[in-house]
Structures are given as C-alpha cells and as structure tokens.
Amino acid sequence: VQLVESGGGLVQPGGSLRLTCTARGAITSVFWGYTMAWYRQAAGDQRDLVASSGPGGVTTYGEAVRGRFSISRDNSRKSVTLQMNNLKSEDTAVYYCKSSAQNYEDWGQGTQVTVFS
C-alpha cells in the first residue's frame, strides 16, 4: 500500500487548508478495517498525532487542534481528509498520513504546511 498525500502549502493565519491521503494499492474491503491518522512533525520536534479515524468512524483529535481540524474518510475512495481551519503559526509542520491495523503500518511521504503572516 502506498499512501499519497496532497493539499499542503502556504497559508496565512486564520486560513484553511485541506489535506487528502489516498491509499493506493489497498483493497477496498481491507481499507475499511484500517485506522487512518494524520500526524505532524515540526522542525526539531517529535511526531505527534493530529487526528485519527478508526474502522467504525470513531475519531480522536490532538488537544492543540480540537475544534479547528476535522478528519473524515471515504472508504469507497480509500482516502482520508483533514480539513484544517483557523490555522495558526504553530500548525506549521510536515503532515504525515498513517494507515494501520493489526500487524500492519504504513506512512506517507509527508506534505509541508506553512502558516505565515
């Protein structure tokens, strides 16, 4: 499975971006059982969980983004989207998509999000 991310870029504080991750090569019936998540890593920092969507659609969010970011998945398209609103400078990071299940884990290559004024 190859995770392909898109949608990163430059935005001013208060702006919005939408990131999409598509699981190329995944079998649709298997994708349903994946936990799909977004992580981010700022320069010099550890990689932290931003949001995740479990097989049943249960979502979790990191404290720093709760209320501003929203994760959703389209199992038929084998994709997961992260809608990011009211972006702040501290949201600047490389954002990574992750898929996981029992005894399985894959990461995308990352997409840069830069929030600047």
Side-chain angles (χ1 to χ4, degrees):
V1 175
Q2 179 186 17
L3 300 179
V4 180
E5 301 130 332
S6 62
L10 301 173
V11 65
Q12 292 185 327
S16 298
L17 283 175
R18 179 178 296 178
L19 306 182
T20 299
C21 171
T22 302
R24 293 183 180 174
I27 299 172
T28 302
S29 60
V30 177
F31 182 85
W32 281 72
Y34 289 168
T35 291
M36 300 300 297
W38 287 95
Y39 285 73
R40 69 186 183 186
Q41 186 169 19
D45 286 348
Q46 64 184 17
R47 191 173 296 188
D48 293 324
L49 175 68
V50 176
S52 69
S53 174
V58 176
T59 58
T60 59
Y61 294 92
E63 187 64 34
V65 306
R66 192 170 292 126
R68 298 187 297 123
F69 291 12
S70 177
I71 189 171
S72 60
R73 63 192 292 164
D74 185 336
N75 290 326
S76 65
R77 296 178 181 267
K78 296 174 288 184
S79 68
V80 62
T81 297
L82 182 69
Q83 177 66 42
M84 306 185 293
N85 298 327
N86 190 22
L87 283 159
K88 305 175 181 181
S89 58
E90 52 262 43
D91 295 318
T92 295
V94 178
Y95 284 69
Y96 297 90
C97 178
K98 176 186 174 184
S99 62
S100 63
Q102 189 174 12
N103 299 318
Y104 162 74
E105 179 179 293
D106 263 325
W107 289 87
Q109 79 286 354
T111 185
Q112 177 70 46
V113 171
T114 302
V115 185
F116 74 104
S117 57

